[in-house]
């Protein structure tokens, strides 16, 4: 299926204008969505009810208001709200070039791909190569869908990426967490560095990770469609993070484990029928695990086409 662009834009670089086309870099198809239904299987619809008299309020009679005090609002008409909106612009104006590592990834929002449009190939290639050579990325202003954004333009291997950035007031500070300052000994630090080196890799290969939860949900859906009963598998609960351990003992025990063999070539999907490589997580000491956050599991993808799921057959029928 051909990839469709979202919009035609102009990337403004000094006195140079680069015609580009905008493409979404990500998709939300990974989410398994369920519909709310009545017990008899019929669809239900959402209604808004007035708190005053419990009557249903149709959308045509709704207005928008801002709550400036408890239960006190100022109302805005559609025309007034329209006047407040930022007008969309097809120009993405570069305002500065900064080091590639200057933007903390915590400020990253949605990402888009930029591709050259007609007559934009040469200046597009020039800007891409210049940023690679200089080790810098661009900051730009962009008005899109009635909002103004600060965006980062950075070179990738095959082109340019436009990354929407969050504003400062949209990112919380870790100082609010009041994290305790704890000192570590040189011996502990040395062992931790050895452990990091033991299970280090040179690059991130996203194809080595798979959404295991999504696979379980889709498998359960197929069983439901096939008329089978879903039986919850018994799982051993993982130990919580409240366990008291000796830091040095945990580091030494972790270093004593056999490290995962590094691949001779860049990571690729495993051949069907072969056992996938042991995960790095299996070599990590309990001191690096948390009861709240779990590392994703590695999963080798098979090149064999999977059997058609029951849900797909049902849709075709």
């Amino acid at each position: 299926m051909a990839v469709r662009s979202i919009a035609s834009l102009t990337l403004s670089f000094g006195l140079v204008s680069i015609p580009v086309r905008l493409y979404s870099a990500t998709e939300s198809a990974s989410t398994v969505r369920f519909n709310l239904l009545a017990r008899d299987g019929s669809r239900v619809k959402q209604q808004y009810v007035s708190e005053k008299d419990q009557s249903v309020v149709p959308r045509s009679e709704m207005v928008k208001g801002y709550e400036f005090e408890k239960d006190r609002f100022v109302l805005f008409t559609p025309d007034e709200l329209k006047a407040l909106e930022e007008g969309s612009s097809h120009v993405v104006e570069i305002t500065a070039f900064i080091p590639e590592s200057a933007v903390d990834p915590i400020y990253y929002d949605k990402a888009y791909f930029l591709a050259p449009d007609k007559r934009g190939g040469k200046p597009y290639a020039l800007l891409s190569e210049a940023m690679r050579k200089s080790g810098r990325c661009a900051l730009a202003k962009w008005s899109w869908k009635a909002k103004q954004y600060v965006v980062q333009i950075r070179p990738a291997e095959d082109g340019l990426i436009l990354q929407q950035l969050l504003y400062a007031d949209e990112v919380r500070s870790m100082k609010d967490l009041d994290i305790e300052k704890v000192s570590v000994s040189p011996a502990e630090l040395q062992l931790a560095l050895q452990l990091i080196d033991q299970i280090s890799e040179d690059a991130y290969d996203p194809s080595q990770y798979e959404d295991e939860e999504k696979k379980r949900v889709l498998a359960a859906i197929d069983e439901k469609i096939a008329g089978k009963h879903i039986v919850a598998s018994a799982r051993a609960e993982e130990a919580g993070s409240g366990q008291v351990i000796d830091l040095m003992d945990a580091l030494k025990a972790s270093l004593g484990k056999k490290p995962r063999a590094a691949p001779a070539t860049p990571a690729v999907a495993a051949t069907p029928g072969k056992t996938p490589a042991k995960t790095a997580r299996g070599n990590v000491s309990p001191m690096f695990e948390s009861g709240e956050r779990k590392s994703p599991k590695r999963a080798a993808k098979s090149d064999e086409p999977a059997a058609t799921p029951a849900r797909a057959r049902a849709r075709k029928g």
Side-chain angles (χ1 to χ4, degrees), residues 37-113:
L37 305 172
R39 289 189 177 274
D40 61 2
S42 59
R43 292 181 178 272
V44 296
K45 64 180 180 179
Q46 188 179 51
Q47 291 182 323
Y48 290 89
V49 179
S50 170
E51 288 186 349
K52 183 177 181 180
D53 57 11
Q54 301 302 306
S55 62
V56 176
V57 181
R59 289 185 178 273
S60 60
E61 296 181 10
M62 293 182 186
V63 295
K64 290 186 177 182
Y66 180 84
E67 186 175 16
F68 63 97
E69 290 180 3
K70 179 65 175 177
D71 294 329
R72 297 189 67 192
F73 301 86
V74 286
L75 304 182
F76 285 81
T77 66
D79 289 339
E80 290 173 329
L81 292 173
K82 189 71 175 177
L84 294 175
E85 293 180 354
E86 179 74 22
S88 295
S89 172
H90 71 281
V91 177
V92 181
E93 181 185 359
I94 293 177
T95 59
F97 288 94
I98 60 175
E100 286 183 348
S101 59
V103 181
D104 190 320
I106 197 171
Y107 288 94
Y108 282 0
D109 200 1
K110 187 170 176 58
Y112 296 89
F113 292 144

Side-chain angles (χ1 to χ4, degrees), residues 10-13 90-96 139-143 151:
T10 299
L11 192 57
S12 176
F13 170 39
H90 71 281
V91 177
V92 181
E93 181 185 359
I94 293 177
T95 59
L139 289 181
K141 292 182 179 180
W142 180 38
S143 297
V151 299

Side-chain angles (χ1 to χ4, degrees), residues 168-218:
D169 60 358
E170 295 179 293
V171 177
R172 296 172 178 170
S173 172
M174 290 194 70
K175 294 179 181 179
D176 298 336
L177 305 181
D178 195 23
I179 298 175
E180 180 185 3
K181 302 296 183 182
V182 180
S183 61
V184 296
S185 69
E188 291 169 338
L189 180 59
Q190 181 60 35
L191 286 173
L193 290 172
Q194 288 180 253
L195 176 57
I196 290 173
D197 183 66
Q198 178 176 286
I199 58 176
S200 291
E201 295 184 357
D202 293 332
Y204 167 58
D205 181 6
S207 66
Q208 293 297 307
Y209 295 82
E210 195 168 0
D211 190 340
E212 298 290 341
E213 180 183 5
K214 177 185 174 183
K215 289 176 63 178
R216 289 197 305 271
V217 173
L218 292 178

Side-chain angles (χ1 to χ4, degrees), residues 230-306:
I230 300 175
V231 180
S233 59
R235 293 187 182 180
E237 294 292 332
E238 294 188 14
S241 58
Q243 182 182 3
V244 179
I245 61 173
D246 184 271
L247 187 57
M248 290 292 288
D249 288 346
L251 288 167
K252 291 177 181 178
S254 300
L255 287 170
K257 292 186 177 182
K258 185 178 180 180
R260 179 172 54 84
T265 57
V268 295
T271 303
K274 291 187 179 181
T275 304
K278 187 176 180 181
T279 65
R281 187 172 184 263
N283 295 321
V284 180
S285 161
M287 69 164 284
F288 288 101
E289 295 196 26
S290 166
E292 296 180 358
R293 185 176 181 179
K294 301 182 181 64
S295 300
K297 298 180 180 178
R298 290 181 180 271
K301 292 187 177 180
S302 171
D303 293 329
E304 294 294 331

